[in-house]
Amino acid sequence: MIPLVDLVAQYNSIKPEIDAAIQNVLTSGKFILGPQEKAFEQEIAEYLGVKHAIGVASGTDALIIALRAIGVGPNDEVIVPAYSFFATAGAVLSVGAKPVFVDIHPDTYNIDAALIEDVITKQTKAIIPVHLYGLPADMDEILAIAQKHNLMVIEDNAQAFGAKYKGKHTGAIGDLGCLSFFPSKNLGGYGDGGMVTTNDDNLAELVRMLRTHGWKKKYFPEILGYNSRLDEIQAAILRVKLKYVDQWNKARWEIAQIYSRSINGIEITTPSEIINRSHVYHLYVICLKNRNEYISFLKNKGITTEIYYPQPLFLAKPCLIENNIIREFPITSRVTHESLALPLYPEIPANRIIDVINAINGCLGTKKLLIE
Ligand SMILES: *Cc1c(COP(=O)(O)O)cnc(C)c1O
């Protein structure tokens, strides 16, 4: 089977460096908030072009802590896209606030900025744009709306490490940015991890307090915080991987170009490339009718595919308590039935790329084979 991702192939490509980095941590005796974590925070801040980067235990925690840092809680509303990984809405529910959903744009699968103002109320505190699949959201429009209505913007940057919007890295554009280092992300560790990024000194201080029980001075909590840190082993691994991430993102982009040029058929929509935005292809997702037919056809050909995501956020059980269903989300509803992710990872062998293309085009019956 051709897998969707192959994390072992990536590990094997940098094995000696990773093994040495882990060994170093083991013999250092420092496992939480030590020198690796500190150095990694500095390196990420420098890479993204942002003043502060604060390591936390996961991308979900990064969202929760970012929401807490800007004071979101019960009776507040936070605007999120109707289509994303569950954590985007789950984090809002976790701090006691209400996620308010906005449909996505059919070209980008990101929140449709033109629909945001319709749902702003007196309770609205923030907007969380998600750079879905690695394509930056409409940040100019979103920031303008936020400014006009005095809202904070938290970028859910979990899928877009390294992406740029008008020359700026995602995660350095809104008030706060949230990264996930889940193993399959573009910059992924070998366990859970996350990070909050911001240019605001006060928010950075709050995030640092929140990740360690709400204290600045040990054992004297000032607010109710969490235990949410990025451990030294993950930080050491991620420091090694950070050196390669641009090269890996470039490989992802090139594979995506081959897919988009070669996959044909009027019933298939390939991902959009948008001027002034770099797509880092966390996932390569096509939209097609008759998805189930394709899934079983491709499976028979030995090709793994996956649906990201099979249900809109507002239908997730924890979200159903909210009365959001009165509005319609036509694009989200369509895309949940049509989206399909194809195998894409930096190390994917060329012959596998060709196998995927031929299988898809074969399923269409066009018989067009890829000519190298
Ligand atoms: C992965 C992801 C998260 C959560 O990250 P974890 O590290 O798994 O907690 C949040 N939002 C989006 C869009 C993601 O893809």
Side-chain angles (χ1 to χ4, degrees), residues 57-61 63 84-88 130-132 156-159 179-182 185 192-194 282 309:
S58 71
T60 304
D61 278 8
L63 288 164
S84 177
F85 178 61
F86 172 69
T88 312
V130 180
H131 308 303
L132 202 72
D156 183 337
N157 198 23
Q159 300 191 0
L179 283 168
S180 164
F181 303 121
F182 185 79
K185 299 290 159 85
D192 277 313
H282 169 58
Y309 297 91

Side-chain angles (χ1 to χ4, degrees), residues 11 13 28 58 69 77 91 99 103 112 116 145 168 175 177 233 262:
Y11 168 58
S13 75
S28 78
S58 71
E77 295 179 359
D103 206 359
D112 189 337
I116 291 176
I145 293 164
K168 260 192 175 181
D175 296 289
I233 289 180
S262 311

Side-chain angles (χ1 to χ4, degrees), residues 11 34 41 60 70 73-74 86 94 116 132 137 145 147 154-155 169 188 191 198 210 239 263 278 280 288 292 346 365:
Y11 168 58
E41 287 183 348
T60 304
I70 59 170
F86 172 69
S94 290
I116 291 176
L132 202 72
I145 293 164
Q147 196 162 23
I154 299 172
E155 292 174 72
H169 273 118
T198 184
L210 284 162
R239 289 185 71 199
I263 292 169
S278 65
V280 292
L288 34 69
N292 287 342

Side-chain angles (χ1 to χ4, degrees), residues 155-366:
E155 292 174 72
D156 183 337
N157 198 23
Q159 300 191 0
F161 186 85
K164 280 184 173 175
Y165 177 90
K166 297 190 176 171
K168 260 192 175 181
H169 273 118
T170 55
I173 304 167
D175 296 289
L176 294 143
C178 296
L179 283 168
S180 164
F181 303 121
F182 185 79
S184 65
K185 299 290 159 85
N186 290 35
L187 179 61
Y190 295 136
D192 277 313
M195 199 163 258
V196 179
T197 53
T198 184
N199 282 311
D200 186 303
D201 297 345
N202 294 327
L203 291 178
E205 179 165 52
L206 275 166
V207 170
R208 285 189 195 282
M209 288 168 71
L210 284 162
R211 76 170 167 178
T212 308
H213 309 293
W215 66 48
K216 267 184 282 189
K217 190 174 168 212
K218 202 172 179 181
Y219 306 132
F220 294 93
E222 293 169 39
I223 49 176
L224 181 61
Y226 306 90
N227 172 6
S228 181
R229 279 88 58 122
L230 181 67
D231 65 75
E232 286 288 285
I233 289 180
Q234 296 311 323
I237 290 164
L238 289 161
R239 289 185 71 199
V240 172
K241 288 188 155 203
L242 180 60
K243 296 187 291 179
Y244 297 95
V245 76
D246 283 344
Q247 167 191 327
W248 289 332
N249 279 343
K250 186 165 173 273
R252 287 175 182 275
W253 187 85
E254 281 165 359
I255 296 156
Q257 303 314 301
I258 298 172
Y259 275 154
S260 292
R261 274 201 310 270
S262 311
I263 292 169
N264 50 52
I266 41 167
E267 58 190 285
I268 297 184
T269 311
T270 54
S272 302
E273 291 267 345
I274 296 184
I275 194 145
N276 273 324
R277 295 181 211 192
S278 65
H279 198 321
V280 292
Y281 289 98
H282 169 58
L283 294 168
Y284 185 89
V285 176
I286 57 173
C287 273
L288 34 69
K289 315 265 183 241
N290 313 325
R291 182 172 61 186
N292 287 342
E293 269 173 50
Y294 273 90
I295 293 171
S296 50
F297 182 88
L298 292 171
K299 197 171 162 210
N300 284 334
K301 295 266 177 191
I303 294 160
T304 313
T305 58
E306 203 159 319
I307 299 170
Y308 294 92
Y309 297 91
Q311 126 179 310
L313 287 184
F314 53 83
L315 291 184
K317 265 189 191 165
C319 297
L320 282 175
I321 47 161
E322 306 292 352
N323 187 22
N324 276 296
I325 316 302
I326 41 170
R327 287 181 299 111
E328 285 187 7
F329 303 86
I331 310 302
T332 296
S333 301
R334 174 174 66 73
V335 172
T336 52
H337 290 104
E338 295 186 353
S339 66
L340 191 67
L342 303 181
L344 189 151
Y345 51 96
E347 302 78 14
I348 190 170
N351 62 334
R352 289 186 158 181
I353 300 172
I354 295 169
D355 288 346
V356 172
I357 293 164
N358 284 339
I360 290 179
N361 290 345
C363 183
L364 283 171
T366 60

